[in-house]
Amino acid sequence: MESLQPRAMTATATAQGPAHGQGPTQGPAHGRGRPCVITRRATFSASHRYWLPELSPEDNQARFGPCSLAPGHGHNYTLIVAMGGPLDGDGMVLNLSEVKHAIRAEVTAQLDFRYLNETWPEFDLSRPEGRLPTTEALCQAIWTRLAPKLPLVGLRLHETDTLWVDLLAPGSTPTPMEAFLSIRTHFAAAHRLARPELSQGENEAIYGKCARPHGHGHNYLLDVTVRGPIDARTGMVCDLAALQQLVDDLVVEPFDHTFLNKDVEHFAATVPTAENIALHIADLLSAPIAATGARLHKVRLQESPNNAAEVFAETPQLEMVPAALEALVAG
Ligand SMILES: [Zn+2]
Ligand SMILES: [Zn+2]
């Protein structure tokens, strides 16, 4: 199919005649020309195996663990496609049925119920430029297929609920060179919000019920996002198992089933608000993650379905702006 450009950008968009509710001599209506980002979700199921022919069976097993086992294993993938552009006279960035068709033709019809290692040439490991079909590499391969068809601003690919990758529109280069890899984990902990130099009454005036003397607990959801270039052969931003181990060793194990104020030294002197916990986690993880070759991008700590704190570790804290990838999904 032809490339889908945002309709308001094309000459044909104005040649289509008056849009709904707009007389032939009327000016802009329905936001025509104003920019907007739209998202479309698609799903597919596929299998893969992490196995590099140049490595011995022992080395494959050591590097990729159970992902190296024959004949492979599968995932139910969820893809979120974010597209941007000005609205046309019909109040749309793009016609959704055309978007749906492009995603089906270029991606899901080619991948659904397939063995990824044998689908696209990017994953043909007998070629020197072949790479493992990791979530990062798969997301980038999808980008190269959709970018000529749709005005992409971002892609998110979920392998599971606890592992996903984001790519963002790179500006002038045709394919994003870096990926954002996120992992989700959780821990349960209690805390009390109170400053020791204040009276109980003063603390309750600031922190409300959270200042009650014996604390309360949360099931915290922790999302850690790292960014980096995708390795040309392994298809990975970093060693996923090593990243998960760092988060487990430095955060989950010391924080889980604790009373944070008393059991985690940092919070003896720092009020363990969600914000302070997220900042402390970012401080704990930054250097060890840098040692793996990736960079810590963001820590998101969700205390309850109603509140979360996000720390963007790479930007000066007073200039924190949520990255464009936030347009991709809610929550
Ligand atoms: Zn897998
Ligand atoms: Zn609380």
Side-chain angles (χ1 to χ4, degrees):
M1 63 179 294
E2 283 180 38
S3 173
L4 287 180
Q5 292 305 314
R7 295 165 75 201
M9 283 179 176
T10 64
T12 54
T14 50
Q16 288 168 346
H20 307 299
Q22 182 189 332
T25 58
Q26 297 290 308
H30 302 298
R32 176 185 281 190
R34 294 182 62 188
C36 188
V37 173
I38 59 169
T39 56
R40 175 78 195 178
R41 178 179 169 275
T43 59
F44 59 94
S45 301
S47 63
H48 62 176
R49 183 187 182 204
Y50 294 173
W51 182 271
L52 291 175
E54 65 270 27
L55 298 184
S56 68
E58 294 73 22
D59 287 346
N60 272 299
Q61 167 70 32
R63 284 190 75 170
F64 307 122
C67 296
S68 68
L69 294 175
H73 63 278
H75 299 285
N76 295 317
Y77 291 93
T78 299
L79 174 68
I80 313 271
V81 182
M83 297 149 282
L87 301 199
D88 62 13
D90 298 325
M92 295 189 284
V93 173
L94 292 163
N95 187 306
L96 263 191
S97 70
E98 292 169 4
V99 171
K100 212 163 110 180
H101 176 76
I103 296 171
R104 191 187 304 125
E106 299 299 325
V107 182
T108 54
Q110 297 184 33
L111 299 182
D112 202 20
F113 284 75
R114 305 304 209 287
Y115 179 47
L116 294 172
N117 301 53
E118 294 175 0
T119 51
W120 290 345
E122 289 97 319
F123 308 133
D124 178 357
L125 294 160
S126 66
R127 302 162 70 229
E129 62 271 38
R131 50 164 63 159
L132 293 173
T134 61
T135 318
E136 299 94 303
L138 182 55
C139 198
Q140 197 166 55
I142 291 171
W143 184 288
T144 61
R145 281 161 179 78
L146 287 181
K149 310 286 178 183
L150 299 170
L152 297 183
V153 295
L155 282 185
R156 175 168 289 188
L157 182 64
H158 270 270
E159 188 179 89
T160 64
D161 290 342
T162 57
L163 173 67
W164 64 95
V165 163
D166 291 304
L167 294 178
L168 294 175
S172 53
T173 50
T175 304
M177 301 306 289
E178 288 199 325
F180 297 81
L181 171 71
S182 298
I183 57 170
R184 170 167 287 189
T185 184
H186 64 91
F187 61 88
H191 66 168
R192 175 180 176 240
L193 305 187
R195 288 163 54 191
E197 71 276 20
L198 301 182
S199 70
Q200 182 64 22
E202 288 169 325
N203 274 316
E204 285 189 14
I206 298 169
Y207 299 111
K209 286 195 281 191
C210 300
R212 285 181 178 173
H214 301 297
H216 64 279
H218 297 285
N219 290 315
Y220 289 95
L221 273 184
L222 171 63
D223 297 345
V224 174
T225 301
V226 302
R227 80 189 283 184
I230 302 172
D231 185 87
R233 189 62 170 165
T234 67
M236 295 175 186
V237 163
C238 67
D239 181 335
L240 177 63
L243 176 63
Q244 284 166 329
Q245 195 67 51
L246 281 177
V247 175
D248 278 351
D249 291 349
L250 299 175
V251 182
V252 176
E253 187 53 34
F255 287 26
D256 193 29
H257 287 67
T258 63
F259 185 46
L260 292 168
N261 306 56
K262 298 193 176 193
D263 296 324
V264 176
E265 195 184 344
H266 179 77
F267 299 116
T270 304
V271 183
T273 56
E275 297 91 321
N276 271 335
I277 303 170
L279 279 166
H280 184 47
I281 291 171
D283 290 344
L284 288 170
L285 291 175
S286 266
I289 284 174
T292 72
R295 300 196 300 285
L296 178 63
H297 173 66
K298 185 172 90 165
V299 168
R300 179 178 189 272
L301 186 70
Q302 183 177 310
E303 205 168 55
S304 77
N306 300 325
N307 72 295
E310 302 194 358
V311 171
F312 291 84
E314 292 180 295
T315 50
Q317 285 164 17
L318 292 176
E319 294 171 23
M320 253 184 246
V321 178
L325 61 90
E326 297 311 306
L328 297 181
V329 284

